[in-house]
Amino acid sequence: MSDMVTGVVRKKVVLRREEILDATVEQIKQRGIAATRITDVAGALGVSSGLIYYHFETKEQLIEATFAHAARNELDAARAVLSRPAPVVTRLKALLRVYSPAAKAVPGWRLWIDGYSAGLRDRGLMEVMQDLDGEWKKIFTSLIEEGIASGDFHCADARTATWRITLFLDGLAVQMVARRGALKRDEAMLWMRERTAAELGIDPDVLGPRR
C-alpha cells in the first residue's frame, strides 16, 4: 500500500473515531452512562458494533475517551480566552461564560455530573474526570495570578480562590441540573458574580449588572 493510500486510510479511521465519540456524547446525554450500550452508539451511526470495538475494546474505554473528547472544545475555548489580548476582567467574564452553568446551556453539565457519578464506580473514568478538572483549575489559576500581578484582583492566593470559585460553580450546576426549575437563571447569575467577586476582592458590578 502506498504512503498516500495509507494516509487516506488512517485519516478515515481518525474521522470515524471522532464520529463515534460524537455519537456517544449524544447517547449519554439522552440515556445516561449506565444505560448507554455499544449497540446504541452503533445504531445511531448505522454501523456494526464490531466497528466500535475496532476502536475501543470495552465500553469503559469508549466512555473515558468520550469525556476527554467532549472536554476538548470547551478547554480549547477557555485557553483561547486566557491568551486573548484583552483586560483581565474581560477575560474573566468570558471564562465564566464558558464554565458556569448559570451562563451557558445546562445540558452540557448533565454530561459532566453523570460522569462524576459514574466515576465513583469506574477508576479509569474518575482519573479522566480529575485530569479535566485539573486542566480547568490551571486555566482559572493562571488568569487569577495575572489579575493579582496587575492589581485588578485582590486576594492572597490564586489557587485557593480558584478552588473556592469552581467549587461554588460546580455546586450551582448540581442544583440547576438535579433540581431543574427550582433556581432561576438570573438569580444563579447574580450569585455567581457575587461569589466570584468576593473571592477576588472586586466589585460584583464589574462582572455584570445586578438585577
Side-chain angles (χ1 to χ4, degrees), residues 154-169:
H154 310 283
C155 56
D157 180 66
R159 177 184 175 277
T160 299
T162 290
W163 271 87
R164 289 176 174 173
I165 291 169
T166 55
L167 284 172
F168 178 82
L169 296 177

Side-chain angles (χ1 to χ4, degrees), residues 31-49:
R31 304 168 183 272
I33 292 174
T36 296
R37 303 168 300 172
I38 295 289
T39 53
D40 297 322
V41 178
L45 289 168
V47 300
S48 69
S49 297

Side-chain angles (χ1 to χ4, degrees), residues 20-35:
I20 291 170
L21 295 174
D22 286 337
T24 307
V25 169
E26 294 306 314
Q27 289 300 309
I28 291 173
K29 286 181 179 179
Q30 295 174 24
R31 304 168 183 272
I33 292 174

